[in-house]
Amino acid sequence: MYQTKKTFIKPGMKMSNLIFENPSLLLMLEHFGINIVVRDKTVEQICDEEQINQQLFICIANLYNGFNPTGINEIERPYTESIILFLKNSHRYYLDEKIPEIRDYINSLYDKNNNPEIKLVDKFFEEYSLDVKEHLNYEDVTVFPYFSYLAHDNKYPESKNTHYSSDEYREHHTDIETKLRELKNLLLIHIPLKHDQILRRKLLVALFELEHELLIHSVIEESILIPLIKKIEKQNGIG
Amino acid sequence: MGLDKYRINIAIIEPSAIVYEGLSNILLQEGEANYSLFHYESLDEISSEELPGKIDLVIANPSLNGMKPFEFQRKTGAAVPCVALVYLFFEREVIDLFDAVIQITDSPEVITATIHNLVSLKYLCKSEPQEQLTPRETDVLKHLVKGFSNKEIADQLNISIHTVISHRKNIVQKTGIKSQSGLTIYAISNRIINIDDFQE
């Protein structure tokens, strides 16, 4: 998020230098399940050690650096699991870390101001987090298992619900983005409070961070994962 | 939403990446308005439907092929000002077809002033969003947060459903808030309704 330069990441670059330029990459490493103590390894070395496809890693890292996905056509079936792992780890980050953090800020705001609007903001955010949870759960329980089966060329058990649609996906994403934007509007423009400058700034920054992560999440799904799944479905002769 | 409405969209038709990058840095850093830039390497990349609605200004290199169709489009399409980006000698007749000229040797100040002059009217119109709700919109909002349907609101305020919908649209546009719970918070914060009136 706090980018100072816009470097297009290439295999020979040192990971530590890239992190100094864009600390959000720490979160990306975490989502990939990679130790953030990168020593003096290059992008290429890290990918080799962790057995992550370099093309995929670079594509996602560059997404964090503000570039649209590139080289998507070369991302193939075997990388499905890496993408799913990345997305699952980011789910955990939203649910176990970011959403509770935001809730805490809202609660502290209420403690300080005892203002009925904040109670409503809390309720608003509660509803919002339920939406997010529901969507992530839909991915974890319905979508990802189906994708995994497909990628391993297994037949999906007939009894299970295979029904996912990319339209439904996109609609969920838009919903989630709109609500978050509303919350930012309320906090930045509309709700007047006293004694809350620092807390409100922390709350807003946390919301921006969550928004940024969710945006990357939906780009990965819509521009990388879903096209890959469509390709696999075609290879498998489905659809 | 919101911000994008107040942006000035500029199409830059220029095949040289170096020139484009330089120009875009000058406009984004020194420009007074909020510019969004769209880069096209040639005229062919622009579809004819795209130009009128979306783009407020065009900066083009007149040495490109097909400046004639472009001229044609200017005459038939929307009245979008066009600026020539010149780094070679050009016939006066060609240059005169454009609304203004940027020379490759112009200073950043001159370049931004040239652009600003052409879009200033639009910029003024665009940069002053009306945030305040009208009394009628406030009435509609009051009913909305109480959970009334469009039809009920129309009946109670003695206006058509169509009018209710148009008021709602304006409310969303001005506040940036769409959901009922978000609008409720907005209404309470702005003392449009009292928290005590609002019981769930």
Side-chain angles (χ1 to χ4, degrees):
Chain A
M1 254 198 108
Y2 314 105
Q3 239 175 293
T4 47
K5 277 188 206 157
K6 200 173 161 181
T7 302
F8 191 86
I9 298 172
K10 292 177 183 152
M13 293 179 178
K14 272 211 173 100
M15 196 65 218
S16 54
N17 288 340
L18 295 169
I19 294 171
F20 282 126
E21 272 181 26
N22 180 8
S24 305
L25 290 172
L26 287 171
L27 204 51
M28 182 204 71
L29 291 177
E30 199 178 295
H31 293 342
F32 268 120
I34 299 172
N35 190 335
I36 58 170
V37 182
V38 290
R39 303 188 185 278
D40 63 349
K41 289 176 218 162
T42 62
V43 168
E44 193 173 11
Q45 287 167 330
I46 289 179
C47 289
D48 285 350
E49 272 176 32
E50 303 286 337
Q51 300 191 329
I52 292 169
N53 172 255
Q54 193 176 291
Q55 199 88 30
L56 176 71
F57 184 90
I58 285 180
C59 176
I60 292 180
N62 274 322
L63 206 56
Y64 274 83
N65 264 11
F67 294 94
N68 288 331
T70 47
I72 297 170
N73 289 336
E74 284 132 78
I75 290 171
E76 292 289 345
R77 181 192 293 255
Y79 318 136
T80 315
E81 287 305 328
S82 299
I83 305 176
I84 290 177
L85 179 71
F86 182 97
L87 294 172
K88 277 191 169 168
N89 284 338
S90 34
H91 290 181
R92 216 176 41 216
Y93 166 78
Y94 311 140
L95 296 178
D96 298 348
E97 196 177 325
K98 218 62 205 170
I99 288 180
E101 181 193 341
I102 292 169
R103 291 216 76 149
D104 282 351
Y105 288 141
I106 295 177
N107 287 333
S108 316
L109 259 189
Y110 185 68
D111 289 344
K112 274 205 163 164
N113 282 275
N114 209 349
N115 185 316
E117 284 125 283
I118 301 299
K119 206 77 204 159
L120 292 172
V121 169
D122 185 43
K123 204 167 145 272
F124 186 93
F125 189 70
E126 164 87 40
E127 285 168 15
Y128 171 77
S129 22
L130 282 177
D131 284 354
V132 175
K133 268 179 207 160
E134 202 181 303
H135 174 65
L136 300 185
N137 194 44
Y138 163 74
E139 295 187 348
D140 286 337
V141 175
T142 307
V143 182
F144 293 164
Y146 172 61
F147 287 180
S148 290
Y149 268 96
L150 270 185
H152 292 108
D153 210 7
N154 287 334
K155 210 167 157 35
Y156 199 65
E158 301 258 337
S159 58
K160 291 202 179 182
N161 176 17
T162 60
H163 199 78
Y164 98 94
S165 81
S166 41
D167 289 342
E168 195 175 336
Y169 239 67
R170 210 156 293 143
E171 208 174 292
H172 278 193
H173 286 160
T174 320
D175 251 23
I176 287 173
E177 284 160 22
T178 315
K179 287 225 172 88
L180 201 52
R181 208 175 311 136
E182 281 190 15
L183 198 52
K184 283 179 354 201
N185 268 322
L186 284 167
L187 289 166
L188 197 58
I189 304 171
H190 299 306
I191 300 178
L193 289 178
K194 290 173 193 151
H195 325 296
D196 73 314
Q197 287 301 325
I198 295 172
L199 258 177
R200 192 191 294 229
R201 184 247 306 149
K202 285 185 181 168
L203 173 54
L204 275 165
V205 170
L207 289 172
F208 279 106
E209 282 168 349
L210 177 63
E211 185 182 41
H212 184 244
E213 271 291 311
L214 285 171
L215 182 72
I216 286 179
H217 188 84
S218 59
V219 173
I220 292 175
E221 290 181 347
E222 287 170 20
S223 312
I224 302 175
L225 185 57
I226 289 180
L228 173 63
I229 292 304
K230 286 203 170 135
K231 190 156 80 177
I232 296 175
E233 279 182 334
K234 225 175 180 177
Q235 290 165 355
N236 289 9
I238 303 171
Chain B
M1 79 147 31
L3 194 68
D4 284 349
K5 265 194 80 192
Y6 310 110
R7 279 177 187 273
I8 303 287
N9 295 322
I10 301 181
I12 300 180
I13 312 169
E14 166 56 56
S16 156
I18 292 179
V19 173
Y20 169 74
E21 285 298 328
L23 182 62
S24 71
N25 273 341
I26 289 173
L27 289 175
L28 295 177
Q29 286 171 22
E30 320 260 334
E32 274 177 68
N34 207 344
Y35 297 128
S36 284
L37 306 182
F38 300 88
H39 186 201
Y40 303 94
E41 288 186 6
S42 73
L43 271 170
D44 306 335
E45 286 183 26
I46 307 180
S47 64
S48 49
E49 314 89 67
E50 203 176 351
L51 260 181
K54 199 171 152 199
I55 300 295
D56 300 308
L57 179 99
V58 175
I59 301 175
N61 186 332
S63 62
L64 283 170
N65 273 337
M67 281 321 294
K68 285 221 173 101
F70 183 53
E71 207 187 306
F72 171 72
Q73 200 170 34
R74 264 190 81 196
K75 281 175 187 157
T76 53
V80 179
C82 296
V83 179
L85 174 59
V86 175
Y87 43 99
L88 290 169
F89 169 76
F90 263 101
E91 303 282 343
R92 192 77 236 170
E93 296 90 70
V94 178
I95 299 297
D96 282 346
L97 292 171
F98 289 83
D99 298 289
V101 177
I102 295 175
Q103 302 280 352
I104 194 106
T105 49
D106 282 348
S107 69
E109 293 76 25
V110 170
I111 293 174
T112 52
T114 307
I115 300 301
H116 192 67
N117 284 339
L118 286 170
V119 295
S120 56
L121 199 68
K122 185 134 198 178
Y123 174 54
L124 284 178
C125 301
K126 277 187 161 189
S127 63
E128 282 182 29
Q130 274 227 313
E131 297 282 352
Q132 211 68 25
L133 298 184
T134 66
R136 215 41 174 167
E137 285 160 3
T138 310
D139 287 340
V140 171
L141 177 65
K142 277 183 194 162
H143 285 78
L144 264 180
V145 298
K146 284 180 193 152
F148 289 114
S149 69
N150 286 350
K151 169 101 179 60
E152 288 168 321
I153 298 175
D155 288 346
Q156 291 189 25
L157 295 178
N158 235 334
I159 51 180
S160 72
I161 291 196
H162 181 77
T163 313
V164 175
I165 292 171
S166 124
H167 283 316
R168 286 187 71 161
K169 233 188 199 161
N170 289 339
I171 294 171
V172 173
Q173 204 139 66
K174 287 180 183 178
T175 60
I177 296 160
K178 198 173 173 185
S179 70
Q180 178 166 342
S181 35
L183 285 172
T184 306
I185 301 172
Y186 171 86
I188 293 171
S189 293
N190 287 283
R191 313 249 174 281
I192 291 168
I193 58 166
N194 199 313
I195 183 84
D196 302 325
D197 301 342
F198 180 72
Q199 301 291 358
E200 264 198 306

